Amino acid sequence: HVQLVESGGGSVQAGGSLTLSCVASGWSMKTQCMGWFRQAPGKEREGVAAIASDGTATYADSVKGRFTISRDNAKNSLYLQMNSLQPEDTGMYYCAAHRPNSGVGWLDFRGYMYWGQGTQVTVS
């Protein structure tokens, strides 16, 4: 039974920081590209950052220079360090595992096969 569990969300003031964590169980993430997505009310889910098994990372333009994605395969865990948070960063944040050979980009939610339940981030 594959499970992804996010934590670390919360409410912060603009300019603040948060670190999100995602722990996977029931399956090893070490060979998978992993990603973070977010969804604000009334908006489509958008890719924030993704990281390949070799550590290569890609970011949405809106978060470049502010967010850092990382992984610890030994702990089967994924992280997102978020700095200089802005109100537009508000949303539910999800971690997800990329489907091999999906044919879509790493920041496209259609290419992901396993999803967590999300953790809420609110920036005011």
Side-chain angles (χ1 to χ4, degrees):
H1 174 63
V2 175
Q3 195 171 20
L4 299 175
V5 179
E6 303 95 336
S7 62
S11 296
V12 296
Q13 292 188 335
S17 299
L18 285 172
T19 299
L20 306 184
S21 300
C22 172
V23 179
S25 61
W27 149 88
S28 174
M29 58 175 261
K30 67 179 181 180
T31 63
Q32 298 303 117
C33 173
M34 299 291 294
W36 285 99
F37 291 77
R38 66 187 180 192
Q39 189 165 20
K43 293 188 176 181
E44 190 174 88
R45 191 167 298 190
E46 65 170 338
V48 173
I51 185 167
S53 57
D54 66 358
T56 302
T58 189
Y59 297 91
D61 288 343
S62 59
V63 307
K64 280 181 182 176
R66 300 188 299 123
F67 290 11
T68 302
I69 189 172
S70 61
R71 63 192 295 161
D72 186 336
N73 290 334
K75 295 182 178 180
N76 225 24
S77 296
L78 181 72
Y79 307 96
L80 185 68
Q81 173 68 44
M82 305 186 294
N83 298 326
S84 301
L85 284 162
Q86 300 301 316
E88 52 265 34
D89 295 316
T90 294
M92 187 70 78
Y93 281 68
Y94 303 89
C95 72
H98 193 256
R99 180 183 300 111
N101 304 312
S102 70
V104 298
W106 289 357
L107 296 182
D108 189 329
F109 70 88
R110 296 171 299 171
Y112 284 74
M113 59 182 179
Y114 300 140
W115 291 86
Q117 293 299 306
T119 185
Q120 177 68 36
V121 172
T122 303
V123 186
S124 59

